[in-house]
Amino acid sequence: MFGGEDAKRKLLNDIHILDLETVSWTEVETTQPPPSPRYDHTATVHAERYLLIFGGCSHSICFNDLHVLDLQTLEWSQPENREDLATSRAGHSGAVISDEWFLVGGGDNKTGTLETIVLDLTKLVWSVVTKVNERHPLASEGISLCAALIGGVKYLVAYGGYNGKYNNEVFIMKPKLKEPAPRKLLLSPAAAAAAASVSAAYLLGPGGQTSVPKAEDPSEDSEIKHPHQESTVDTSRAGEEKRLLELSLAEVREENSKLRGKLDEVKNTQSELAKELLSVQTQLAEERSRCFKLEAQIAELRNLLQSLPAIEADVLSLMGKISAIEQTPTTEKHASRGIFGWIGGGDS
């Protein structure tokens, strides 16, 4: 079991395995970068060894990436993907017939997905099977899909889903299947490199000469017939195997180089985002400081506003006193001059 979300809607990208005999779960550790946390994706197992994950979504975006987990080495890998064929979708459904994985329905948070696509599990190549119109029941999220054997013929059966309304229609399609091909081991980069190096060391003996051990068969005569011809055949076969292994090793190295380039790009992007985050945090701290200062000024103004009625009362009181002084009679003003006014020759 891969991914999903927990009770707090936290997205997950871990792997758990259920032991069907003990009915107990075990969380396993994997190597290489896993798919990003997501839910509403599809998953299937190929050749009883490889777990394939496609699509799904986070809380903001939908995905169209394909990831493969080698269940023997527990190593993740991400094959190349054609985005124009494998459109982003979540809430879709999948079913496997022979070595082909059919995906139907789903959506991208805007509209329902119109294309029914198929993945060739032996080559990991996408193709479009059919395309429907908008609002068609097959362009629904939460649609169910299964493979059914009817009269010795395999069919795809789709039912239900939601695309603005709940659907209860059944759709049946007879896929045009290709000829079954030998199953191909989807070796991870590390496993492929190890296999190539070990095989090359086995084929090349001391001095760079080809050496292929030959099993002894006690039923054969002690006399060896046509030694030169058998040696030539063995050498040719070993050389061909060596050439194939070298090509495989070169492909693995090229893939590793691409992965390193993508990793460097991710690291650079992460560094730039960290710088932007630091800048935003600094600006946020400055804005908080300004807010604190404004709040202090607002508090001072509130205190002044609260004391304004008392100031107005004092002003009114002073104005009353001034008015009373101005209205005092003239005799009272003269009397108030006292002895100094009389000596000065004032009016008696």
Side-chain angles (χ1 to χ4, degrees):
M1 180 180 68
F2 167 79
E5 58 180 1
D6 61 14
K8 297 181 179 179
R9 296 211 66 194
K10 177 185 176 183
L11 297 178
L12 307 172
N13 65 343
D14 48 1
I15 288 285
H16 290 77
I17 295 178
L18 175 64
D19 189 325
L20 296 178
E21 293 184 356
T22 62
V23 194
S24 59
W25 288 98
T26 303
E27 183 176 0
V28 297
E29 295 292 333
T30 59
T31 59
Q32 301 301 324
S36 58
R38 64 189 66 196
Y39 67 102
D40 275 356
H41 50 275
T42 48
T44 191
V45 174
H46 174 57
E48 299 182 355
R49 176 172 176 176
Y50 304 101
L51 175 67
L52 289 86
I53 305 293
F54 175 77
C57 64
S58 65
H59 293 150
S60 58
I61 60 173
C62 290
F63 304 105
N64 68 336
D65 48 356
L66 176 67
H67 297 266
V68 180
L69 176 64
D70 189 328
L71 296 176
Q72 291 186 4
T73 63
L74 294 178
E75 182 177 6
W76 284 104
S77 61
Q78 184 176 4
E80 295 293 333
N81 194 21
R82 284 195 60 180
E83 297 182 358
D84 57 332
L85 296 180
T87 51
S88 300
R89 63 183 72 195
H92 51 290
S93 187
V96 174
I97 296 181
S98 297
D99 287 328
E100 295 183 319
W101 188 20
F102 294 87
L103 300 179
V104 176
D108 59 359
N109 290 332
K110 297 178 183 178
T111 60
T113 306
L114 310 180
E115 299 86 5
T116 296
I117 57 178
V118 60
L119 176 67
D120 186 333
L121 294 174
T122 62
K123 301 178 181 178
L124 297 181
V125 175
W126 290 102
S127 58
V128 176
V129 179
T130 184
K131 184 175 181 180
V132 298
N133 299 323
E134 293 185 4
R135 296 296 179 182
H136 193 281
L138 286 176
S140 301
E141 295 185 17
I143 192 171
S144 298
L145 181 70
C146 69
L149 186 64
I150 305 174
V153 180
K154 293 182 178 180
Y155 293 87
L156 290 173
V157 182
Y159 172 78
Y162 178 84
N163 61 352
K165 66 174 183 179
Y166 291 99
N167 302 304
N168 64 346
E169 298 182 56
V170 177
F171 295 88
I172 300 177
M173 182 180 74
K174 179 183 177 182
K176 183 179 180 181
L177 302 177
K178 62 181 181 61
E179 292 295 328
R183 290 187 172 179
K184 177 183 178 182
L185 289 180
L186 308 176
L187 289 179
S188 61
S197 60
V198 170
S199 300
Y202 178 78
L203 291 171
L204 292 179
Q209 304 216 345
T210 306
S211 174
V212 180
K214 182 179 177 182
E216 295 182 358
D217 189 350
S219 64
E220 291 183 349
D221 296 333
S222 58
E223 180 181 359
I224 301 177
K225 299 180 180 181
H226 307 290
H228 178 71
Q229 182 179 358
E230 291 184 2
S231 176
T232 302
V233 172
D234 290 344
T235 302
S236 176
R237 185 182 305 157
E240 180 65 18
E241 292 180 359
K242 175 187 174 184
R243 186 183 67 82
L244 293 175
L245 289 171
E246 289 176 346
L247 289 176
S248 176
L249 185 59
E251 291 177 358
V252 170
R253 287 173 177 171
E254 183 179 357
E255 183 177 355
N256 285 340
S257 178
K258 291 180 180 179
L259 291 175
R260 289 194 191 97
K262 291 181 179 179
L263 182 61
D264 292 339
E265 291 178 1
V266 171
K267 289 181 179 179
N268 292 334
T269 303
Q270 184 179 7
S271 177
E272 293 176 359
L273 291 175
K275 292 179 181 178
E276 292 181 4
L277 178 60
L278 180 60
S279 175
V280 170
Q281 290 176 341
T282 303
Q283 294 177 6
L284 181 60
E286 293 175 354
E287 292 297 326
R288 284 178 178 171
S289 177
R290 288 179 57 188
C291 288
F292 291 150
K293 292 179 181 178
L294 289 174
E295 289 177 355
Q297 294 176 0
I298 291 172
E300 292 178 0
L301 292 175
R302 285 178 178 172
N303 292 333
L304 291 175
L305 290 174
Q306 290 175 356
S307 63
L308 186 59
I311 295 174
E312 290 179 350
D314 292 341
V315 171
L316 291 174
S317 176
L318 289 173
M319 290 177 65
K321 291 180 180 179
I322 292 172
S323 177
I325 292 173
E326 291 177 348
Q327 294 175 3
T328 303
T330 306
T331 57
E332 293 182 4
K333 290 182 180 180
H334 289 172
S336 66
R337 293 169 65 185
I339 187 171
F340 293 105
W342 178 79
I343 295 174
D347 295 336
S348 58

